[in-house]
Every structure is written in C-alpha cells, then in structure tokens.
C-alpha cells in the first residue's frame, strides 16, 4: 500500500489577513469550519464561539455554532443550557432533522446546536450506524440554511474526529505554547491525512499567548505568520458575561485578533472556491 502524503496545506494567517483588506466579500457558498485539537484546555470553545460571532456579525452570514463536546461550553458561552429531554445524538442514530435542537442566540443570524449528555456516546453511535460521512451529510443539509457552520469539537481521536475531518472545509487548531501543543498539531495532521483524501487546510493558532513569558515569546518568534489570540482578562470575561469578546470590548486587542483570524479564514475559503 502506498504511503499517504502527510504534507498538508497550512495557512500563513497574518499574511492572508493583511491581503484580505483588498479582497472581495466571499459569496454565499456554505462552509464548515472545525475548531479541533487532540489536547484539552487549549481555548478551543472560546475560539469557536468568537469565530461564530464574527461570521454572523462581521460577514453577515447566517451562522450555526455546532457543539460536539459533551461539556457544552459553546452553549454556555451564549447563555444557553441544553434541554434535558432532547437528545443531540438522535440526528445521527435516528436520522432526525436537527431543527428542534437548534437554538437562537441574542445575536442576529447566529444560532447554536447545543450539546447534551447524549454526546458522550456519539462515538459508539457513529461506529454502530457505520456511515462514515454521517456528520458531513448533516453539515451539507444544514448548509442549505446556514452559510457558515462552526464545529466546536472534543479533544478526541476516534470515529467522531474522523467524521469531523471528512466534513470540514477548514480546520483550526488552537495551540498554547508548549511542547505538548506542538505534538498535538502533528497528531491533528496525522488524523487529517488518515481520514480525508482532499486534505482540508489546517490553520494553527497560538492561543492563550502571554508575551511576558519566555516560552510564549519564543513560540511567537518561531511562528510569526500564525494567527494568535492573547491571554487576556477580556477573553476570560466571555464565560462570565456569556458574550463574545467583540460584543464586550470591540476595540480591544483581543477582539481585533479574533477579527483578523476570521478575515484569514474567509480569505482562504474564498480562495478555495476560486
């Protein structure tokens, strides 16, 4: 068997963000963006929730934030709790439409498909039904209603992560500066190579970056083209106020970093369609 090519496309985020200022607004074609890492505690949910806000508020896309993590962090960051009587895995196992699970947020054009405890069994459910592209098919169907779908993914390597890779048009990998994070990126690259023939682009993002720390400063200097999200109190306030940074402090450096990251994403999606 021929060895798979593990040299996958990556995005030079800061360069793209600068070029985007003169780029045309992307068209209405739907796209699925996965925020994924095999390591927990890397700022994944915060990034997913803020990117979804950027998609709806800045680009004017009808956007769905889809929480695939049993912790339910994305819904919490928007003040939503899952309904105990509803089962998030029903759309996978029973092929039921997800419409009844989708919740509106306080922000126009931004909805959430929240997680609940049933998500804990989703890997077994997907394995049992034997449909390798079930998540991709659901995302394709939801793409009739939403121009952008942002997946908040759990830190796993199993059938769910394989299906996420097959469904995604773009994969965001949050990486707090540490040797374990560097290893996590290589594991994501391997996961993409193993489960997707078309190799969706991977965008590493330095998250929770504190330039007062030598290790963090060195990581930034080593990867100057990667987008970064700073470690800042205003980002922590997302969980306290249950609103995105752009709604709390739109002029803050953290809000501007999320906006730059979103512009890089939109540019890459437009580039792939051209």
């Amino acid at each position: 068997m021929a060895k798979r090519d593990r040299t996958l496309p990556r995005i030079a985020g800061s360069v793209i963000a600068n070029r985007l200022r003169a780029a045309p607004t992307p068209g209405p074609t739907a796209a699925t963006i996965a925020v994924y890492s095999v390591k927990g505690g890397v700022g994944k949910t915060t990034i997913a929730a803020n990117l979804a806000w950027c998609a709806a508020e800045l680009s004017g896309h009808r956007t769905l934030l889809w929480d695939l993590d049993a912790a339910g962090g994305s819904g919490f960051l928007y003040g939503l709790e899952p309904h105990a009587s509803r089962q998030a895995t029903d759309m996978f196992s029973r092929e039921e439409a997800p419409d009844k699970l989708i919740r509106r947020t306080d922000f126009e054009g931004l909805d959430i498909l929240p997680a609940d405890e049933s998500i804990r069994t989703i890997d077994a459910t997907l394995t049992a039904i034997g449909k390798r592209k079930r998540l991709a098919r659901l995302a394709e169907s939801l793409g009739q209603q939403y121009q952008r779908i942002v997946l908040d993914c759990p830190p796993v390597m199993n059938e769910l992560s394989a299906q996420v890779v097959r469904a995604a048009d773009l994969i965001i990998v949050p990486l707090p500066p540490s040797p374990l994070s560097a290893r996590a990126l290589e594991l994501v690259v391997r996961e993409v190579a193993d489960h997707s023939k078309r190799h969706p682009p991977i965008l590493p993002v330095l998250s929770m970056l504190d330039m007062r720390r030598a290790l963090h400063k060195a990581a930034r200097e080593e990867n100057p083209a990667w987008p970064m999200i700073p470690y800042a109190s205003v980002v922590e306030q997302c969980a306290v106020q249950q609103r995105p940074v752009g709604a709390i402090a739109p002029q803050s450096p953290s809000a501007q970093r999320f906006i730059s990251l979103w512009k890089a994403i939109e540019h890459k999606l437009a580039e792939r369609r051209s």
Side-chain angles (χ1 to χ4, degrees), residues 23 55 96 108 113 132 152 158 162 193 210 237 242 252 260 274:
E96 294 185 2
E108 184 177 357
L113 184 49
R132 299 174 69 249
D152 181 5
N158 55 19
D210 185 347
Q237 282 296 310
Q242 296 183 306
S252 67
S260 293
S274 62

Side-chain angles (χ1 to χ4, degrees), residues 10 36-40 42 157 173-191 202 204-207 215-216 218-220 222-223 226:
R10 305 192 189 185
Y36 171 58
S37 174
V38 299
K39 187 176 183 298
V42 297
M157 292 182 71
V173 185
L175 297 168
S178 77
L180 286 176
S181 292
R183 182 173 182 272
L185 175 60
E186 293 310 312
L187 290 173
V188 171
V189 171
R190 185 185 307 169
E191 187 79 345
I202 298 169
V205 176
L206 290 171
S207 62
L215 182 62
H216 289 218
R220 181 60 174 163
E222 185 178 348
N223 303 287
W226 288 4

Side-chain angles (χ1 to χ4, degrees), residues 2-216:
K3 186 176 180 181
R4 287 177 182 259
D5 179 11
R6 297 190 188 279
T7 304
L8 306 182
R10 305 192 189 185
I11 305 171
S14 61
V15 175
I16 291 175
N18 289 335
R19 285 164 47 198
L20 184 68
R21 294 188 182 98
T25 302
T29 305
T32 298
I33 301 146
V35 183
Y36 171 58
S37 174
V38 299
K39 187 176 183 298
V42 297
K44 168 183 57 60
T45 294
T46 299
I47 289 175
N50 279 278
L51 289 181
W53 180 87
C54 288
E57 187 72 16
L58 303 181
S59 297
H61 296 313
R62 192 169 183 213
T63 302
L64 180 68
L65 176 56
W66 188 350
D67 197 346
L68 293 169
D69 192 333
S74 287
F76 175 80
L77 287 180
Y78 280 93
L80 300 176
E81 294 293 340
H83 293 304
S85 60
R86 295 178 178 174
Q87 297 293 299
T89 56
D90 284 353
M91 71 186 84
F92 295 94
S93 59
R94 301 180 186 177
E95 300 195 9
E96 294 185 2
D99 301 42
K100 292 183 179 179
L101 292 171
I102 293 175
R103 311 271 297 279
R104 291 184 178 181
T105 71
D106 292 335
F107 301 95
E108 184 177 357
L110 176 56
D111 296 341
I112 293 182
L113 184 49
D116 58 38
E117 290 191 0
S118 71
I119 288 290
R120 297 180 187 278
T121 65
I122 192 171
D123 181 57
T125 298
L126 290 170
T127 301
I129 63 178
K131 296 182 178 180
R132 299 174 69 249
K133 292 187 177 181
R134 180 65 179 134
L135 180 59
R137 296 288 181 259
L138 283 167
E140 183 180 357
S141 177
L142 287 164
Q144 302 301 312
Q145 306 174 54
Y146 297 97
Q147 294 166 290
R148 296 291 179 266
I149 299 171
V150 180
L151 305 179
D152 181 5
C153 307
V156 295
M157 292 182 71
N158 55 19
E159 179 58 25
L160 174 58
S161 61
Q163 296 226 4
V164 164
V165 167
R166 296 181 195 115
D169 296 293
L170 181 67
I171 298 175
I172 309 299
V173 185
L175 297 168
S178 77
L180 286 176
S181 292
R183 182 173 182 272
L185 175 60
E186 293 310 312
L187 290 173
V188 171
V189 171
R190 185 185 307 169
E191 187 79 345
V192 172
D194 287 344
H195 296 292
S196 178
K197 294 180 180 179
R198 61 190 177 89
H199 290 178
I202 298 169
L203 174 54
V205 176
L206 290 171
S207 62
M208 300 187 287
L209 192 70
D210 185 347
M211 293 297 285
R212 297 170 299 181
R213 301 173 64 177
L215 182 62
H216 289 218

